[in-house]
Amino acid sequence: MATEQVVLKKIDGHVATLTINRPDKLNALNIATRGRLVEELDDLAANDDIRVVIVTGAGEKSFIAGADIAEFEGRSPVEQFRVMTDSSVFLAVDQFPKPIIAAINGFCLGGGCELALACDIRIASEKAKLGQPEINLGLLPGGGGTQRLPRLVGMGAALKMLYTGDFIRADEAHRIGLVDEVVPPDQLQARVKELADTIASKSPVALRLIKQAVRTSMRTSLDEGLKQEVTLFSLAFASEDKEEGVDAFLNKRQPTFTGR
Ligand code: COA
């Protein structure tokens, strides 16, 4: 399969959907797929028409079943280090400046779970199964799973998943806070698009500032984070969107945000 087809892009209004397209390999992330995803995210970050991005997997069965295990065979530590540091798809998702939602349509394992963890919001199909099974390969997560998972679900729930490698069902993932919503499989794409459209109707300036402030909260002290929030709040006062939002409220009309 040509590398440009391993990730499909669909644009509908202000929302772009990226679909990992290796269903015969349960959408496992090989090097070509990671590279293509990073390129697509770079393009979407620079495209002012796009306000929200959805990431999902092709087919009925899988979101992403992890890194492509076939590529691990015989790989040297130096090669592995280069693969992980030359260009990280997990960092590209984490640092993507606009809201990004994972639509988890099936197996969400290993690097797939880590990619979902790097997204802002996770919506899962009732059929989804999530896990970090690297332990079964004599490995550990390398895409942020040991760091983002405990921050999201707490240390005990994270270590249980990481130590056992067991898959958990969507309802259990919801219970521990790993996913934010669970919906019937046939409603997943519509629900995620509805959520994306709602977010896309808000001020792109404020969305970007919210994302920056919240992401900062994961990496800094409360005092530093609160300081940054004040700065970003004040910065929002420089936007046309803030004028539009306030004027629309005072004049009892719907705002139209432009991202300026
Ligand atoms: N890397 C490479 N190939 C993978 C893969 C992965 N992470 N996950 C699945 N595949 C491939 C299988 O090798 C198989 O390919 P083949 O048809 O050429 O043999 C195809 O996808 C279908 O998978 P299969 O195992 O036959 O489906 P299943 O329904 O029996 O089992 C899983 C599904 C998810 C339980 C099983 O595929 C699995 O355990 N995958 C690995 C998950 C994992 O450990 N991920 C973390 C990697 S670090």
Side-chain angles (χ1 to χ4, degrees):
M1 184 180 283
T3 54
E4 64 270 17
Q5 291 176 306
V6 292
V7 177
L8 306 175
K9 178 167 63 183
K10 189 177 121 204
I11 292 180
D12 184 356
H14 290 303
V15 178
T17 300
L18 296 177
T19 303
I20 314 301
N21 187 35
R22 300 184 72 213
D24 53 325
K25 296 291 176 190
L26 303 187
N27 304 319
L29 289 178
N30 60 1
I31 290 174
T33 310
R34 289 165 193 244
R36 193 72 199 128
L37 252 180
V38 172
E39 287 168 7
E40 292 288 7
L41 289 169
D42 282 349
D43 282 355
L44 293 171
N47 181 345
D48 285 343
D49 285 339
I50 298 303
R51 298 184 180 184
V52 180
V53 170
I54 298 166
V55 180
T56 194
E60 305 271 295
K61 199 170 164 182
S62 185
F63 171 65
I64 300 169
D68 191 322
I69 299 170
E71 290 184 341
F72 286 172
E73 204 177 19
R75 188 184 277 168
S76 75
V78 173
E79 284 169 324
Q80 184 59 31
F81 186 73
R82 281 201 60 176
V83 168
M84 293 172 88
T85 52
D86 275 359
S87 163
S88 164
V89 70
F90 305 101
L91 267 188
V93 172
D94 190 344
Q95 294 173 354
F96 190 69
K98 307 172 190 185
I100 181 164
I101 305 171
I104 302 173
N105 55 309
F107 286 117
C108 178
L109 306 173
C113 193
E114 292 173 293
L115 196 95
L117 283 166
C119 289
D120 296 333
I121 300 171
R122 286 151 292 281
I123 311 290
S125 142
E126 284 166 352
K127 274 180 22 189
K129 292 213 171 72
L130 299 91
Q132 297 284 169
E134 291 87 347
I135 187 72
N136 297 326
L137 302 170
L139 285 170
L140 66 156
T146 65
Q147 304 303 305
R148 293 193 185 95
L149 186 61
R151 281 170 169 78
L152 199 59
V153 305
M155 204 180 292
L159 284 171
K160 192 168 149 206
M161 286 179 70
L162 296 167
Y163 284 162
T164 64
D166 287 348
F167 301 169
I168 61 172
R169 290 163 27 145
D171 54 353
E172 173 68 357
H174 189 218
R175 191 187 66 76
I176 65 174
L178 177 49
V179 302
D180 303 293
E181 220 175 288
V182 180
V183 295
D186 59 346
Q187 292 172 27
L188 178 69
Q189 302 305 337
R191 170 61 192 136
V192 174
K193 180 63 169 49
E194 176 190 50
L195 177 64
D197 282 340
T198 299
I199 296 171
S201 72
K202 313 294 181 187
S203 157
V205 177
L207 290 172
R208 194 177 276 240
L209 298 177
I210 287 169
K211 178 158 182 172
Q212 189 174 329
V214 172
R215 292 271 158 181
T216 297
S217 78
M218 304 293 282
R219 293 182 162 87
T220 194
S221 70
L222 179 60
D223 285 345
E224 282 305 315
L226 290 171
K227 262 192 234 163
Q228 187 175 135
E229 187 186 74
V230 170
T231 305
L232 296 176
F233 187 84
S234 305
L235 183 59
F237 274 61
S239 71
E240 291 176 18
D241 279 355
K242 172 258 173 187
E243 296 299 324
E244 168 66 5
V246 171
D247 185 74
F249 177 80
L250 295 176
N251 289 294
K252 303 190 187 309
R253 63 174 175 84
Q254 285 300 312
T256 303
F257 294 115
T258 60
R260 287 192 288 272

